[in-house]
Structure formats: C-alpha cells, structure tokens
Amino acid sequence: MHECTATVVSSEARCSGLLYELVLSAPPLAAQVKPGQFVHLALLQAEHILRRPLSVYQANKDAGTLTLLFQVMGEGTRHLTELTSAQQLQVLGPIGQGWNPPETAKRALLIGGGVGAAPLYLLAGELNDRGVLTEVILGAATADLLACEASFVTLLTAGQVHITTDDGSRGYKGFTTEVAAQLLAENRYDYVATCGPEPMQRIVAAMTAESGALCEVSLERRMACGIGACLSCVVDTVNGKKRACVDGPVFDAREVCW
Amino acid sequence: MSVELSVNLGGLVMKNPVTVASGTFGSGREYAELWSASPSCPGPLNALGAITTKGVSFEPWAGNPGIRITETASGMLNSIGLQNGGVEYFCSNDLVWLASQNVPVIVNVSGHSGEEYTKVIQRLEREEAVAAYEVNISCPNVASGGMSFGTDAAAAAEVTKLCRQATKRPLLVKLTPNVTDITEIARAVEAAGADAISLINTVAGMAIDAQKRTKVFDRGVAGLSGPAVKPVALYAVYRVYQAVDIPLLGIGGIRSACDAVEFFLAGATAVAVGTANFSDPLRALRLAEELSAWCASEGIQDIKELRGALKDG
Ligand SMILES: Cc1cc2nc3c(=O)[nH]c(=O)nc-3n(C[C@H](O)[C@H](O)[C@H](O)COP(=O)(O)OP(=O)(O)OC[C@H]3O[C@@H](n4cnc5c(N)ncnc54)[C@H](O)[C@@H]3O)c2cc1C
Ligand SMILES: Cc1cc2nc3c(=O)[nH]c(=O)nc-3n(C[C@H](O)[C@H](O)[C@H](O)COP(=O)(O)O)c2cc1C
Ligand code: FES
C-alpha cells in the first residue's frame, strides 16, 4: 500500500453522464494492484475530510495508469466528475484483499450489478489468462447504464457476456439473479464472484451455496482510514467482526452473516 | 537553528509534542507499515512524541451495530462504540508489537464502571511497554460509562481517584466538551490525582437521512470530530489552562503546525492528531517536522516558549 500523488489523465462521462471513467497516472499503484482491490481518493475540497473508496476497474502497468468507474451518488463523487487532466490528487492504495479464485477452478461465473461490474474486470482478465472458462452477467437498470459491456466483450467473447436490464432495454428483462439461477442450474461452475447491491450479492451467495461452488462477494462499507485502524467499516462474519477495508472488501460468502 | 521540541506531559517525557488521538490510529501498526513503505516518508513511527492507542476495556467490546461514520461539513460523526478485543488480547498482540517500536505508549482506557477502568490499569501495570494512561471518561458512543462519568464532577473525580490508586505512571484524564462548565470537571480530576488532562473528546451530534426519514446512527447520537470542532477544542483548552496547574493535551481538528501552535498558545503542552489521519495518513508523521520548521522560521528556540503565551490585543 502506498500514499501517492496521482495525476489525472482523463475524466470522462459515460452513459449519459450517470457514470464517469477516471484515469489516473499512479505508477506504484498500477504496478501492484490485484483484481478486486480499491483505492482511497482524497477530494480536492478541504471541507471533505474523508476520502472516497473506489475499486480499480482497469490497470495498465506499462503506462502506470489506473482506471476507475464511478457512479455519481453525492457531493464527493460529483466533485470527482469536475477533475480535469493534469490535476493532482492524493491516493492511497492498492488496498484490501481481492478475489481469490481457487487454483483448480475450471469454470467461473462473475455477476456484476451496476458499477459492481468494475472490480470484476481485472478478475475476468486473470481467469481468462489462466484458461478458466469465464462467463459474466452484467446487470443495470437501463441499457445506457451498461458501462462495461464493451470492454468485457473485448476481453472474453460476446457469448460469454450475458446482459440484463430492469426495463428490458437491452438483454434479458429482469435481474441478474434470474439469469444466474438459470446458468447455475445448467452448468457446473466451481467459482462464482459477485459485486453490486448487497441484496443481489446475498441472493447469489445463497444460490451458489446450493450448487456447491465457492462464492466470493465484495462488500461496501463507509470508510474513514482505509488502512485498518479505525473500525468504521466492519462486516459481521462467522469469525467475528472484520474490516471491509483490509480484511475485505472481498469475502468468502460463507463467512458473511447477512 | 535547532529547535527544542521536547515536552513533559504530566511525567511523560515526549521528544516532541505530537501524539495521535485515541481511536483514529489503531495501535499504530497499519500506519507504521504505510509510513515505512512510502517513498516520501521522512521517518518511522518513532517520529511521534508518543503513540496513543485505541480504547482498551477489560472484556472484549463488540462496538455498535449499523452505520458507524458519516461525513459532515469539515468534519465527521462516528459511532464506533469502542470496539476492542479486551486488555488481555491487547497485551498479547498490540502491546508486544508496540514494545519494539521505540516510542512511548499511552494506553487509552475504557470502562463501564470505576472498577472496570481499574482492572484494565491493574493488568497493564504488569507491562513494561506502557508509559502512561489516558482514561476516557468522555465517549458519547457507549450507553453506560464513558461520557456519563465525564459530565459529572463527582463521578469524574471518583474514577480518577480509583485509577490513581492503581498506578504511579502518568495518568491523563480525557474530558468531554458536552458539559456546562468544563473547568469544574477539570478541577475535580486534578484534585483527584490526574497528572494531565486531554481535551477534547468528540462533540455529541446526530445525523438524519431526509429521504428515508430515519436516524443515520442506530443510537441516534454520534461524536463529531475534525476541523469543525477545532474552535470548541481551542476554547476548552484556553479555559482549562486558566483553571488548573497540570499540563494539557490539546485534541480537536488539528491538521497543521499552525493549528498546533494555536493550541500551545491557548495553553496546551502537547497535541494529538485525530481525524486528520483519515484525510492524510502521513499527517501525524509530518507534523513534528513542520512544527520544527515553523518555530525556526519564527525564531523560537524552545516550543515551550509558546505555551499559554497569548499576547494582549
Ligand atoms: C471498497 C469499495 C469500493 C467501491 N468501489 C466503487 C466503484 O468502483 N464505483 C462506484 O461508483 N462506487 C464505488 N464504491 C462506493 C463509493 O465509495 C460511494 O458511492 C462514494 O463514497 C459516495 O460518496 P459521495 O460523497 O458521492 O456520496 P455521499 O452519500 O454524500 O457520501 C457520504 C459519505 O458516505 C460514504 N458513502 C456513501 N455511500 C457509500 C458506499 N456505497 N460505500 C462506501 N462509502 C459510502 C462516502 O464515502 C462519504 O464518506 C465503493 C465503495 C467501497 C467501500
Ligand atoms: C473514529 C474515531 C474513534 C475514536 N475512538 C476513541 C477512543 O477509543 N477513545 C477516546 O478517548 N477517543 C476516541 N475518539 C476521539 C478522538 O480521540 C478525539 O478526541 C476526537 O476525535 C477529536 O479530535 P480530532 O478532531 O482531531 O479527531 C475517536 C474519534 C474518532 C473519529
Ligand atoms: S476504514 Fe478504517 S478500519 Fe476500515
């Protein structure tokens, strides 16, 4: 983990301005980041004394860059949309325990709801490189919120990327969990990873438990320090309270007390 | 010019007047790892005058359920609830590591009753690595104990007296600003044997979610900290400095050398960096150096010259 000064390479609106892609030059972080880890970003506005945790979507070791994909939720994320290239900001990272697919995995299913798709991208790349047959379900409220579809299709193949939208404007009309149920019934997966709204993750975890596959989830908690010291971010687990920042954000679903 | 930075905080000798505020720094291990990994790191954990640990209770405490923090304008609210593994766990884990860090350790002590505070101190008396205690009678985030002792002069004095009987080590008592007259409580703990006073703990506050029409924190109340509380803390130090003879540890919204100097001028002997550790994880590490530079540029040879040195006009 490093505290470093990152330089904004670009900050661009995606999906009619509801999502943003922020590219930062931060070579020590880009060199180290593992799939599922996140960074803790200081805002430039001094009245915002807490940093904002964002997952690493893509990383380019050669260029020394990280790409973050975020949804505008409140003031902090809105300020992040105002960043322009060459501006500098303090970034702590890479943080946390990322995904841990078993060495023996042969077939994997990744399920991302909304911006929860972002931390699955590096994982899909790693699984693909290892020769694991990898399928992804990406869900969003509407078609124009599917920010990651193109990059997942480029990485995998179109047939391995399943799309759902709540309104049916693209792909299957309904929730990711419905498509997940179908795929889990049809195929034998030995690894399932999910990120997105917690109720979705809970359903995925329950379905996967029935199928016997290992399921990992990525949980969001409010974070102050981001390094494991303040206990703002605790998750109830069967092994007691754990910190989402450094003991997570990825947890074995069986460990979580939902 | 070399600046003399060492101070004596009620018997605790600190090579510089900078420590960290309890609960914002864990037991320092996570920060120490970051500090030594950072390419721009000017030094390891022993750059601090002392480290103050998170609150330690006799039995393990689970802390509060639900949301534990929220950001406010130039501050934050927390409702951690003093989660910790208990004194035995602390001794065999945190303290073993701290013993090798070459930095004085102030252990922050929590309890639900006077007896519980005493039991924590009695256990820690067997540990050489402990340099001083900071008794927290000011936490707004626990139902019994905590702030209920710190808002009543007789109760504050009683806890202080019991802790005093349990140790000869420097005893700091940490006060809450959530009282009508903080000088009354300060005088009571001084008379009961405190060696120094830490102030302030967080200011009681709350947050409401307008959309959901619910309280953000399960307990309703939470503790406000950060730059937003600095004026409150500064005034508490200023008033208590005039009321007691024992030294003061100034805490509340401190980020910069200039902030720290303001606390010295108000009467503090040393300062602690709390919420600023979250905004900038290298803040506490850098503060001692910045103070030294500030003094040098102002022609101050000894940091103690600043203590209570407010000029008229
Ligand atoms: C490990 C981790 C990874 C994340 N990755 C992404 C990502 O890749 N893309 C993305 O769009 N979002 C991500 N989030 C959520 C993101 O951190 C929040 O949406 C963001 O902090 C909201 O800040 P705000 O000021 O806009 O909103 P506000 O609601 O105004 O924020 C108020 C406070 O609450 C905190 N907060 C609010 N919502 C969340 C939340 N869901 N999780 C954590 N803290 C929150 C804020 O940090 C801030 O301190 C992640 C969260 C975590 C914990
Ligand atoms: C997350 C958090 C946890 C805290 N935990 C403790 C604690 O365990 N014991 C204690 O005496 N004070 C605790 N405090 C209070 C701080 O030590 C300090 O008194 C207060 O935050 C004001 O300083 P600041 O504005 O610099 O943070 C805590 C504060 C925060 C923000
Ligand atoms: S954010 Fe401080 S412990 Fe996780």
Side-chain angles (χ1 to χ4, degrees), chain A residues 48-49 51-52 222 231, chain B residues 30 68-71 74 279:
Chain A
H48 286 289
I49 57 135
R51 294 185 172 206
R52 297 298 187 268
R222 292 174 182 231
L231 307 180
Chain B
E30 293 83 7
R68 286 184 164 190
I69 55 160
T70 196
E71 197 185 49
S74 294
S279 316

Side-chain angles (χ1 to χ4, degrees), chain B residues 12-310:
Chain B
L12 174 71
V13 177
M14 296 166 64
K15 71 177 179 190
N16 67 55
V18 180
T19 183
V20 288
S22 175
T24 65
F25 204 72
S27 286
R29 198 169 193 149
E30 293 83 7
Y31 284 94
E33 276 168 24
L34 179 73
W35 290 3
S36 50
S38 171
S40 55
C41 172
L45 198 63
N46 69 11
L48 295 172
I51 168 163
T52 310
T53 70
K54 63 186 172 189
V56 178
S57 53
F58 189 67
E59 304 282 354
W61 286 4
N64 292 330
I67 286 182
R68 286 184 164 190
I69 55 160
T70 196
E71 197 185 49
T72 64
S74 294
M76 67 177 284
L77 285 160
N78 90 78
S79 177
I80 308 289
L82 300 176
Q83 179 186 330
N84 78 98
V87 70
E88 211 49 64
Y89 181 87
F90 175 79
C91 290
S92 49
N93 291 278
D94 308 51
L95 205 53
V96 172
W97 178 81
L98 279 167
S100 66
Q101 295 308 300
N102 199 17
V103 61
V105 178
I106 306 173
V107 180
N108 183 275
V109 180
S110 327
H112 292 309
S113 65
E115 192 201 349
E116 278 185 23
Y117 286 100
T118 327
K119 276 159 67 182
V120 175
I121 292 179
Q122 282 164 349
R123 173 63 186 85
L124 290 168
E125 283 294 288
R126 306 199 328 243
E127 302 292 335
E128 261 176 49
V130 178
Y133 302 101
E134 180 182 65
V135 181
N136 176 8
I137 54 167
S138 42
C139 181
N141 295 325
V142 289
S144 61
M147 205 172 85
S148 60
F149 295 114
T151 51
D152 178 90
E158 180 61 21
V159 173
T160 307
K161 196 181 80 189
L162 289 172
C163 294
R164 176 75 292 165
Q165 285 164 358
T167 185
K168 290 194 166 54
R169 287 175 175 160
L171 183 69
L172 286 68
V173 177
K174 186 165 177 179
L175 301 188
T176 171
N178 306 307
V179 292
T180 310
D181 182 3
I182 197 167
T183 61
E184 185 198 347
I185 315 280
R187 274 191 293 261
V189 302
E190 179 183 39
D195 295 312
I197 295 175
S198 305
L199 62 179
I200 56 174
N201 207 315
T202 53
V203 179
M206 97 181 276
I208 288 177
D209 186 323
Q211 235 72 51
K212 295 189 190 148
R213 305 191 191 179
T214 54
K215 296 176 288 191
V216 168
F217 298 102
D218 286 7
R219 296 184 71 250
V221 67
L224 183 66
S225 65
V229 308
K230 197 187 96 180
V232 178
L234 208 50
Y235 187 53
V237 169
Y238 172 77
R239 290 197 62 213
V240 170
Y241 182 65
Q242 289 160 29
V244 301
D245 293 322
I246 51 178
L248 309 179
L249 173 62
I251 317 171
I254 295 166
R255 289 186 287 190
S256 62
C258 189
D259 290 335
V261 168
E262 291 170 25
F263 277 83
F264 298 141
L265 291 171
T269 290
V271 292
V273 178
T275 298
N277 293 311
F278 306 151
S279 316
D280 171 7
L282 305 179
R283 197 81 296 270
L285 173 67
R286 296 203 166 128
L287 188 60
E289 274 202 350
E290 289 171 10
L291 267 175
S292 179
W294 192 94
C295 290
S297 73
E298 294 286 318
I300 289 170
Q301 284 161 24
D302 187 333
I303 197 102
K304 294 183 277 294
E305 287 169 41
L306 293 168
R307 190 181 312 150
L310 274 180

Side-chain angles (χ1 to χ4, degrees), chain A residues 40 222-233 243-246, chain B residues 278:
Chain A
H40 213 26
R222 292 174 182 231
M223 294 178 176
C225 72
I227 77 170
C230 73
L231 307 180
S232 327
C233 64
R243 300 160 296 183
C245 63
V246 292
Chain B
F278 306 151

